[in-house]
Every structure is written in structure tokens, then in C-alpha cells.
Amino acid sequence: MLALRLGRRSGAAVQLRRLMVAAASGGTGFLLLSSLGQALAHPEAPGAASVRLAWCAAPVAATVHLAVAVARTDPGTRPRPGLSAIGLGPGRMMVLSVTTTALSCALGSMLALLFFLHLRGDLTGMPFDGDAGALLAAGRPLPLPATLTLLALVPLLASAATALSLRPREEGGLRGAARRRIAGAYRPAPAPAADDDVPAAAMEAPASAPAAPAVTAAADAEAAPPRLTASPDGLPWGVAVLVAGIGVAGYANRAGVALTPDLSLVPAGLLAGWALAALGLALIGPGLTHLCGRLLQAARPGAVRLLAGRVLMAEASRVGRPLGVVAAVAALAYALVLRYDLGGPVLGPLGGLGAVLVAGCTAATLVTAAIEVRQLRADTMLALLRVGAPATTLRACAALRAGVLLAVFGPLTVLVAELASLTPGG
């Protein structure tokens, strides 16, 4: 009930992002139900239905990624120190975020089921002169367990991913962290070693006396969070996975592969290489973003370059990973369209829907991550405006960050797409 009240009082932008999650969940649920219809319509070819179901993994992953990004930017379920006093600590707010995500995805799944039944003619007759009935096994009864399992897949995965992403990092939440910090500040000083030079008054000091400044500083240093500008650790691993994926794809494509429009005859080696290359791009995204910020500050930077570089370094983990995923999707689209001549009309309606879902979800996730960074940096930007920084400087910083990231990730995307679809024996 509390999740519904918070959702009703949210702004238009928040509601729009939740509707995007519901739309993505509905499209993905429709694709899952279409794979079930394919299996029911052609029971003699279970392999084709299995391949169609396996290709639904990409829209499912993109939808879950978008749902987690939207949950992170929801201001209504963000933990606040004042709410812990009434029992709404980080753990409870995380439960509210998970509930909101589950409700949005469940709404999309219900709409997908209604549209699927409408196209099959189970509600108001056969639409479109029965053209869609052949793809969706019209006239055959739907197995209820399989239907419910496929429809519950996206809400369950999105809820689990949201809970994992928003779980309280400190044991006991904000109150537990505050208790540990207070206890560390008033930690008794260790008793000095017995020595003739130590005065007796010092030996008889009460145990409840405040700690020495050095001890307090050490406790604060232990409790201090890591630096925001620390370099992400995934760059070497990402490069290794990316190179391995390109190598596997090149080996599988050594004799040349002719892909069919339904992508049902993709060799396992080529598919594994593409998956490894996409994973590598997603892993190196934060590291490359951090490196871009460091390069912006090289060679006597001015105010614009210094501020833009600092923001990129501080927000490399939040922006870099969605940017890497966008680069991976763009590389795959480049390879399929320009190297294998598989465009939207060739893929068919269901393949085109899957491509639109993956591309739209990844782009929306990147925009949502940018909104999250803007929300986190709102106080800093306001402070800069108050001290006299011109608004044109802040806009120049944003344009510079976008231009540098585009200049780095654009050629990298084209290079990875060319190498992953290269035919060594050709």
C-alpha cells in the first residue's frame, strides 16, 4: 500500500520512466509468449522454438537492466536519514523499490497476455484477417503453467536484480553505520605499557574518557568510504574478455557464415564470440570513462576541462557500464545490418520487435543513468552557480563530456563490429 501511495504522488518524469519499464516488460512478455506459440504450432520442430526462446534472453536482460536503472533514480524510494526514525530505513526503502519494480513489470506482463490473446482471436475474434494466428498457434489451447511461468519471468528477475542493486551496503543500514561511527569516536584509548616514566595519574585515567585525537582519526579513516575517483577494476578483465570474444567469433567465422533472417542457424561459436565481445565492452565501459576523465585533465587543464574530467572520473561506474552496453548493442546491430544484410524488414515482425526492445531499453538505460548522475550532482551544480560560475560553463562541461565519450566509444564500436564479423579465410 505504501508503494502505491508513493507511486501515485510521484512526478510526471518518474511515472514516464515506470511506464517505459511496463512497456518493455510487455514487449518482452509478448516475445516469450510468441516462442510458446511457435512451439505449440510446430510440435514437430522443437529446436526452432528453443532457438526462438533463447533469443529472448537479450530482450529479457535489456528489460531487467532498464528496470534496475529506473529503480535507482526513483526519488520516492530513495533512503533518507530522517525516515529511519519511523522505521523506513534503507532496507524498508529497498523493499518499496522492489515492490514498485514488480508492479510495473507485472502490469506490462498482463498487457502482453491480453494483446497475445487478442491476436490469437481468443477475446473478440480473429483480427488482421487471421494473419497473426499462424504465428501464435491460434485455435490451440495455451498451457496455463507454461504461460504463467513465462509471464512471471521478467517481474521476478527485475525484482531480484533491483534488490541486489539497492541492498544496504552497511550492516544495520544508516542507523547501524551511525552507531559504529559514534562508538569509534568514543572508543577508549588503549592502556599504555607499564613503564616508570608514565605518571600514575595517566595510568588511572577512567575508561570512559574520550579517545585520543590520533585514535579518533584512525577510526574515522577506517570508516571512511572509498574515494569516488578511484579507477574501476574491470578494465583489464574487460579487455581480455573482449579480445577472447573477437578471437572466438573469428575462428567460428573462418569459412564464412550465411545467416538466415530468423537467426536460427547461427553457429554456437559465433554466438559465443558475440556474447563475449558484448560482455567485454560492458566491462571496459567504466574503465574507459574514467580514463577519458583523466585524459581531459592532462596538460594544464582549464576550468571547463578540469570540471568535466572530475565528473567523468567520479561517475565512471554509473555512466560507463550503460555506455558499454549501448556500444555492445550498436556493434551487434552494425554487424547484422551492414556486414550480414539483415535489416528490420528481413528479420520479420517478431525479430524487429526484439531489436527495437533491445535498442530502446539500452538507450533508455543510458539516459536514466545520466539522469541519476544529474540528480546526484544537483547540489554541486547549485553551489557552483551560487559562487558565480556562469551557466554556459556548466553547459560547456556537459557538451565536452558527451563529445569525448562519443569520440572514444564511437570508433571502438565500429572496430569491434568489424573484427567480430571478420572472415579470416575470406
Side-chain angles (χ1 to χ4, degrees), residues 313-408:
M313 291 175 64
E315 307 298 339
S317 298
R318 290 187 177 92
V319 179
R321 197 168 303 280
L323 193 57
V325 174
V326 169
V329 173
L332 180 60
Y334 179 90
L336 290 178
V337 174
L338 297 182
R339 298 286 295 181
Y340 293 103
D341 296 329
L342 294 180
V346 180
L347 292 178
L350 296 180
L353 175 61
V356 169
L357 274 176
V358 173
C361 287
T362 51
T365 303
L366 180 60
V367 174
T368 306
I371 293 174
E372 180 186 7
V373 171
R374 184 177 180 181
Q375 291 176 352
L376 295 175
R377 293 282 165 179
D379 295 338
T380 304
M381 298 297 106
L382 184 59
L384 289 175
L385 291 175
R386 285 177 177 175
V387 298
T392 54
T393 301
L394 302 182
R395 288 193 290 267
C397 289
L400 181 60
R401 293 196 302 268
V404 168
L405 292 177
L406 183 61
V408 171

Side-chain angles (χ1 to χ4, degrees), residues 13 15 20 30 44 75 78 81 87 120 132 140 143 147 171 174 214 256 260 267 275 284 295 384 398 418 420 422:
Q15 299 290 2
M20 285 194 306
F30 182 79
E44 73 281 355
R78 184 171 300 168
R120 280 170 47 92
R140 296 177 180 267
T147 303
E171 183 180 358
L174 293 177
T260 57
I284 68 175
L295 291 178
L384 289 175
E418 291 287 347
L422 191 63

Side-chain angles (χ1 to χ4, degrees), residues 242-257 267-274 276 340 418-426:
L242 177 61
V243 172
I246 292 175
V248 171
Y251 181 78
N253 198 27
R254 62 190 183 278
V257 176
L270 185 60
L271 188 60
W274 287 350
L276 287 176
Y340 293 103
E418 291 287 347
L419 292 178
S421 58
L422 191 63
T423 305

Side-chain angles (χ1 to χ4, degrees), residues 240-313:
V241 173
L242 177 61
V243 172
I246 292 175
V248 171
Y251 181 78
N253 198 27
R254 62 190 183 278
V257 176
L259 300 182
T260 57
D262 57 354
L263 298 178
S264 60
L265 299 178
V266 179
L270 185 60
L271 188 60
W274 287 350
L276 287 176
L279 179 61
L281 281 175
L283 289 176
I284 68 175
L288 275 183
T289 305
H290 189 275
L291 184 61
C292 290
R294 187 174 292 276
L295 291 178
L296 274 178
Q297 302 174 72
R300 295 181 180 181
V304 175
R305 283 201 296 140
L306 183 62
L307 183 58
R310 285 292 180 180
V311 172
L312 282 181
M313 291 175 64

